[in-house]
Amino acid sequence: MKFRSVFDIIGPVMIGPSSSHTAGAARIGRVARTIFGRKPNWAKIHLYGSFAETYRGHGTDVAIVGGLLDFDTYDERLVQSLELAEQMGLEVEFFEEDTVMDHPNTVKIRIGDQRGELEVVGVSIGGGKIEIDEINGFKLKLTGEHPAIIVLNNDRFGCIAGVASTLAKNHINIGHMQVSRKEKGKLALMVLETDENVEESILEEISSLPNILQVARIVE
Amino acid sequence: MLFRTVRELVILAEKEGKKISHIMIEQEMKVTKMSRQEIIERMEKNFQVMESSVEKGLKGVTSRSGLTGGDAVLLQEYLKKGKHLSGGFILDAVSKAMATNEVNAAMGMICATPTAGSAGVVPGTLFAVKEKLNPTREQMIEFLFTAGAFGFVVANNASISGASGGCQAEIGSASGMAAAAIVEMAGGTPSQSAEAMAITLKNMLGLVCDPVAGLVEVPCVKRNAMGAANAMVAADMALAGIKSRIPCDEVIEAMFRVGQMMPSALKETAQGGLAVTPTGKKLEREIFGKPQKK
């Protein structure tokens, strides 16, 4: 079941005009920002399907950028986010894409700064709910509604066990877990949705495990 | 999960002698592990946002494009003259539904019910029926849980997004949700709520999503208006004992299938319907200076 809570139906409280094209778009931007972990210096935003056709009218562009600035769906600064991005040193570019995606409201966000880059593909599935379908080319499913950690690692034995036992040691329960790789023995990505927020110190502990390359988190 | 279909919801409510809103609260407790108190408080916050968006819209707002705004006020002024032909409560609901959507179009704060484009119908009918039934605050919060329960079934078995199911999935769903909630507030049975939802949704099947210039304004504001009117009349019909020959779950299923058959030009892409009429195209050019990429 895609919708589990009554507040997916009566809610969210948001700045208009469209739950899928404004609120959902802002949420995708904000999840990308959260995974990146800091304000990016640049963003290249590729819009597909209905997003590409109607983004100006719905303020989809404004909303995604607002999300990248870490504004929530009901934050009244959202309306000025394009101006605020300029002031805050976030350079934004939009691309209208022709490729037909599985879902009409799809966006690919590439963000970065001197220290790194991130690519996220997100889908706004209606009523303000979203799914993250891809991170740095790895296929996955992430809603951004639960705390989560995202781990990039060399595809070797023991990585998953190492991450899981670090969480266990810190009394953190895993609600959902997914592993993804592009090629055997190369790079792999795991996403673990947890019941509790994962503290910065635990993140550092995981980063220091063998074959772990990068760790990011989503906190509630 | 306590229920997945309207039938399961109605059977459960009638067997346990509970209101649909109470079943929804119980399910929410089960799924989210939040306490009853926390859930009600959270809904109370949504209620307050709805109340203030209606108030704001009734003072008069205008969207950035200038396409919408002020109609909620016009209708209230007309109502005050006492010369209206259709029912005063219906027109009040219509006005309050438009008020909310005018605020939404003006990038103001609203509560999506179930979406932003359809956010007017549920509060519009709630704040109109309130004048007639004098509900307690608790009953007004329950109204939202009942609407939510029906919306929950539609969202999981069909769709609530215009991009995937057309306007029938958005304002159609909102109107069905509102009709069911009005019935409960007026003292109807759970199965009468289901009949009201079925009657409403049947009359909105096939409605396309064709926003002019891709904006959630034309025809969205007026579709919320008529969605509210539809919900009020269907609620009265159900309370009178009228039944839908096609059960509510089957109407929802039909809505889903109609949505699948609908071409993408009529699903929020602004490539068909009113969006491509000569005036629709002209308005688009005026707002954006050039037609949007197709």
Side-chain angles (χ1 to χ4, degrees):
Chain A
M1 299 189 93
K2 283 188 170 172
F3 296 79
R4 295 179 54 81
S5 164
V6 70
F7 298 107
D8 293 336
I9 309 296
I10 309 294
V13 167
M14 55 166 279
I15 303 296
S18 165
S19 47
S20 54
H21 289 61
T22 319
R27 277 185 173 170
I28 295 171
R30 193 151 183 249
V31 169
R33 159 70 183 259
T34 310
I35 298 170
F36 194 60
R38 55 191 186 273
K39 183 191 73 66
N41 291 346
W42 56 265
K44 294 185 193 303
I45 299 166
H46 301 258
L47 301 156
Y48 299 86
S50 169
F51 267 7
E53 301 293 344
T54 68
Y55 71 95
R56 288 193 197 90
H58 287 119
T60 307
D61 46 354
V62 178
I64 293 170
V65 173
L68 291 174
L69 294 176
D70 210 16
F71 299 160
D72 213 330
T73 54
Y74 52 82
D75 193 320
E76 300 198 85
R77 288 175 298 175
L78 213 58
V79 186
Q80 284 98 38
S81 63
L82 292 181
E83 296 82 32
L84 290 171
E86 214 181 308
Q87 287 169 25
M88 292 160 85
L90 167 61
E91 199 182 309
V92 186
E93 252 183 294
F94 290 95
F95 304 89
E96 298 165 16
E97 303 290 349
D98 290 329
T99 319
V100 177
M101 304 296 258
D102 290 343
H103 194 285
N105 298 334
T106 301
V107 58
K108 181 166 84 187
I109 302 175
R110 283 175 56 218
I111 48 179
D113 61 9
Q114 308 88 326
R115 288 164 56 199
E117 282 187 35
L118 173 74
E119 183 184 291
V120 166
V121 176
V123 178
S124 179
I125 62 169
K129 276 179 75 75
I130 63 156
E131 278 172 7
I132 301 296
D133 279 1
E134 230 181 276
I135 297 176
N136 287 341
F138 292 97
K139 302 272 182 213
L140 54 95
K141 279 270 181 285
L142 182 70
T143 61
E145 283 172 20
H146 307 285
I149 59 167
I150 297 139
V151 182
L152 181 71
N153 57 285
N154 290 317
D155 188 23
R156 305 279 188 283
F157 66 86
C159 282
I160 296 168
V163 173
S165 59
T166 307
L167 291 177
K169 199 177 72 191
N170 289 284
H171 301 263
I172 287 172
N173 187 41
I174 300 168
H176 180 80
M177 167 162 190
Q178 217 179 358
V179 290
S180 172
R181 64 181 178 187
K182 292 178 204 167
E183 225 181 308
K184 198 170 159 183
K186 298 284 172 65
L187 289 178
L189 187 103
M190 61 182 119
V191 175
L192 300 99
E193 284 187 340
T194 55
D195 292 345
E196 296 83 16
N197 283 328
V198 179
E199 300 303 325
E200 196 69 52
S201 61
I202 306 171
L203 229 53
E204 279 165 24
E205 203 176 324
I206 292 172
S207 308
S208 66
L209 294 170
N211 288 313
I212 302 294
L213 303 173
Q214 209 181 332
V215 189
R217 64 173 182 163
I218 291 174
V219 290
E220 235 173 15
Chain B
M1 214 53 77
L2 296 174
F3 62 91
R4 283 165 193 274
T5 62
V6 168
R7 191 181 131 80
E8 285 174 8
L9 177 62
V10 169
I11 288 175
L12 190 63
E14 298 199 330
K15 192 182 77 192
E16 299 194 4
K18 287 178 183 159
K19 289 180 180 178
I20 282 171
S21 47
H22 292 176
I23 305 277
M24 187 70 245
I25 295 169
E26 279 167 28
Q27 166 148 310
E28 191 69 15
M29 289 166 68
K30 225 175 128 184
V31 169
T32 64
K33 312 282 177 228
M34 286 197 288
S35 71
R36 179 179 297 270
Q37 190 59 28
E38 284 170 323
I39 292 165
I40 289 171
E41 276 168 15
R42 192 163 164 199
M43 192 61 92
E44 171 91 29
K45 282 191 188 132
N46 289 349
F47 174 83
Q48 284 164 5
V49 171
M50 292 180 197
E51 200 168 31
S52 56
S53 51
V54 167
E55 274 170 23
K56 193 171 168 192
L58 289 182
K59 284 184 194 141
V61 289
T62 309
S63 70
R64 291 175 142 195
S65 71
L67 280 181
T68 54
D71 288 347
V73 175
L74 278 182
L75 194 56
Q76 285 296 337
E77 284 168 359
Y78 173 74
L79 261 171
K80 277 187 203 129
K81 290 180 192 152
K83 291 183 177 170
H84 48 280
L85 304 172
S86 49
F89 285 109
I90 292 183
L91 292 182
D92 191 34
V94 165
S95 161
K96 287 170 177 168
M98 288 196 292
T100 304
N101 279 87
E102 287 173 350
V103 167
N104 182 56
M107 284 193 101
M109 199 189 295
I110 53 97
C111 178
T113 50
T115 63
S118 60
V121 180
V122 169
T125 51
L126 169 57
F127 292 107
V129 172
K130 176 187 170 217
E131 307 291 329
K132 171 98 176 181
L133 299 174
N134 295 316
T136 60
R137 191 145 181 110
E138 195 187 343
Q139 284 172 311
M140 290 194 282
I141 304 295
E142 284 171 357
F143 185 101
L144 299 179
F145 280 108
T146 304
F150 282 89
F152 180 84
V153 172
V154 180
N156 281 312
N157 295 314
S159 161
I160 52 166
S161 103
S164 53
C167 190
Q168 55 162 10
E170 277 202 45
I171 301 177
S173 301
S175 305
M177 288 157 56
I182 297 167
V183 166
E184 181 179 293
M185 186 180 267
T189 64
S191 60
Q192 284 175 328
S193 281
E195 300 297 346
M197 165 114 195
I199 293 168
T200 308
L201 197 53
K202 284 201 292 190
N203 286 288
M204 297 184 89
L205 280 189
L207 196 58
V208 301
C209 179
D210 51 354
V212 167
L215 298 165
V216 192
E217 299 197 48
V218 178
C220 319
V221 172
K222 291 190 187 78
R223 289 215 180 121
N224 272 268
M226 299 314 284
N230 198 327
M232 297 281 279
V233 176
D236 265 333
M237 286 170 72
L239 287 164
I242 296 171
K243 292 193 169 90
S244 168
R245 292 287 172 227
I246 310 295
C248 193
D249 287 311
E250 290 182 36
V251 177
I252 293 169
E253 171 75 18
M255 187 272 274
F256 178 60
R257 291 188 187 284
V258 170
Q260 283 182 315
M261 286 180 231
M262 214 178 258
S264 80
L266 300 174
K267 290 193 277 195
E268 213 172 332
T269 53
Q271 290 177 357
L274 297 172
V276 297
T277 54
T279 303
K281 299 298 277 181
K282 184 170 149 267
L283 290 170
E284 184 183 33
R285 279 195 302 275
E286 283 169 12
I287 294 162
F288 295 120
K290 62 179 176 71
Q292 284 195 270
K293 184 179 159 291
K294 289 284 170 272

